[in-house]
């Protein structure tokens, strides 16, 4: 990762610009629409920082997205409540620009909100057996993020189900990020002793293919952060 990007991640103004840069589309027309919307909403200094760092962020290897997000979180946590709310609004402007929400956009948004302290669930009193449908939604999205072949997706879900007290089935629409949000809000209320089993199921789902794709790692890390639970090791950690 270039040194200027690493340095920018540690300062609240430029850290926000880096997150905005990660949300910019590869499609020129969408990107221009995003920049126009952001210019009207973002703080001028942050917008100027985006114009400087945006091209370099766009050239980063996709595997560096997660390390970059992780670097920015301490600086983002230093934002005031008012700054955090404005930052969230600007992120929403970027995400909504093309009328759809990708898994990466969803994951990044959830991570940021969780670290800004804006996510609030109910009491942690639910068991895994109470949340079969929610587990199924999350793990179906994860399985589809790791492979394209329907047979492999089904096999990944079977591997995940081996770590849970129930079998898993595929869901109709893994691109429905609203359904994923609702599922995760309920999963946030898992009893503490039930959270590791869900993360273990996610790990088994990811490891089924023998490789770890960035989208899988990002969703896995986001869920561990949301659940405030240590991540089990993955294949790459054990190599």
């Amino acid at each position: 990762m270039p040194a200027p990007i690493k340095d920018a991640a540690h300062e609240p103004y430029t850290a926000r610009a880096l997150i905005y840069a990660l949300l910019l589309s590869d499609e020129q027309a969408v990107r221009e629409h995003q920049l126009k919307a952001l210019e009207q909403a973002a703080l001028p200094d942050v917008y100027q920082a985006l114009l400087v760092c945006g091209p370099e962020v766009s050239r980063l290897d996709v595997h560096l997205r997660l390390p970059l997000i992780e670097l920015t979180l301490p600086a983002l946590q230093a934002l005031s409540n008012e700054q955090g709310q404005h930052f969230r609004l600007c992120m929403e402007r970027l995400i909504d620009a093309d009328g759809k929400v990708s898994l990466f956009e969803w994951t990044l948004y959830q991570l940021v909100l969780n670290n800004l302290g804006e996510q609030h669930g109910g009491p942690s009193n639910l068991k895994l057996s109470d949340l079969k449908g929610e587990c199924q939604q999350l793990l179906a999205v994860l399985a589809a993020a790791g492979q394209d072949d329907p047979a492999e997706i089904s096999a990944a879900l079977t591997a995940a189900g081996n770590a849970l007290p129930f079998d898993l089935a595929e869901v109709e629409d893994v691109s429905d990020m609203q359904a994923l949000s609702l599922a995760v809000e309920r999963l946030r209320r898992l009893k503490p002793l039930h959270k590791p089993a869900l993360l273990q199921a996610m790990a088994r789902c990811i490891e089924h293919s023998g490789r770890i794709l960035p989208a899988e790692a990002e969703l896995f890390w986001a869920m561990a952060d949301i659940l405030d639970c240590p991540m089990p090791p993955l294949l790459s950690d054990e190599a």
Side-chain angles (χ1 to χ4, degrees):
M1 191 180 298
I5 296 295
K6 288 194 289 186
D7 292 341
H10 299 299
E11 201 279 322
Y13 272 85
T14 45
R16 279 175 279 184
L18 292 175
I19 296 298
Y20 296 156
L22 287 170
L23 289 170
L24 290 178
S25 174
D26 293 331
E27 298 179 25
Q28 184 64 27
V30 176
R31 190 184 187 95
E32 290 176 359
H33 182 53
Q34 288 176 308
L35 287 171
K36 185 176 180 180
L38 191 64
E39 186 177 16
Q40 297 172 352
L43 295 173
D45 288 349
V46 177
Y47 183 76
Q48 290 302 316
L50 168 63
L51 297 181
V52 173
C53 70
E56 193 147 25
V57 172
S58 69
R59 292 190 291 269
L60 286 178
D61 186 282
V62 67
H63 292 85
L64 290 176
R65 291 190 312 202
L66 185 55
L68 176 55
I69 296 165
E70 190 171 8
L71 280 177
T72 66
L73 291 179
L76 297 178
Q77 289 166 348
L79 297 176
S80 68
N81 288 337
E82 183 178 355
Q83 289 172 328
Q85 290 171 5
H86 181 256
F87 178 43
R88 181 184 68 181
L89 172 65
C90 291
M91 289 183 67
E92 291 170 356
R93 292 279 182 94
L94 291 173
I95 292 169
D96 293 341
D98 61 356
K100 57 187 179 182
V101 182
S102 70
L103 178 58
F104 174 70
E105 289 172 333
W106 182 91
T107 302
L108 178 54
Y109 183 74
Q110 296 296 325
L111 264 172
V112 169
L113 257 62
N114 196 60
N115 281 273
L116 291 178
E118 294 197 21
Q119 299 287 62
H120 306 287
S124 300
N125 58 1
L126 298 178
K127 300 178 292 185
L128 277 170
S129 57
D130 299 324
L131 299 170
K132 179 177 178 179
E134 287 80 3
C135 291
Q136 196 158 277
Q137 183 71 35
L138 171 64
L139 288 159
V141 171
L142 181 63
Q147 43 266 310
D148 297 320
D149 182 77
E152 288 301 310
I153 291 174
S154 179
L157 283 173
T158 299
N162 291 334
L164 296 171
F166 44 75
D167 294 329
L168 295 169
E170 297 178 45
V171 301
E172 289 186 7
D173 187 4
V174 294
S175 66
D176 186 349
M177 294 297 104
Q178 180 62 28
L180 181 60
S181 293
L182 293 173
V184 169
E185 280 307 299
R186 291 270 289 163
L187 291 168
R188 187 188 292 276
R189 293 181 54 196
L190 274 171
K191 290 184 175 183
L193 293 180
H194 287 241
K195 294 177 180 181
L198 176 57
L199 292 179
Q200 191 66 47
M202 293 184 73
R204 298 292 82 81
C205 184
I206 293 169
E207 292 175 328
H208 166 74
S209 65
R211 69 188 190 287
I212 303 172
L213 299 183
E216 295 174 297
E218 289 157 0
L219 182 54
F220 185 53
W221 192 66
M223 283 306 302
D225 191 69
I226 287 169
L227 295 175
D228 192 23
C229 185
M231 291 188 295
L234 291 172
L235 288 172
S236 62
D237 299 319
E238 298 171 348

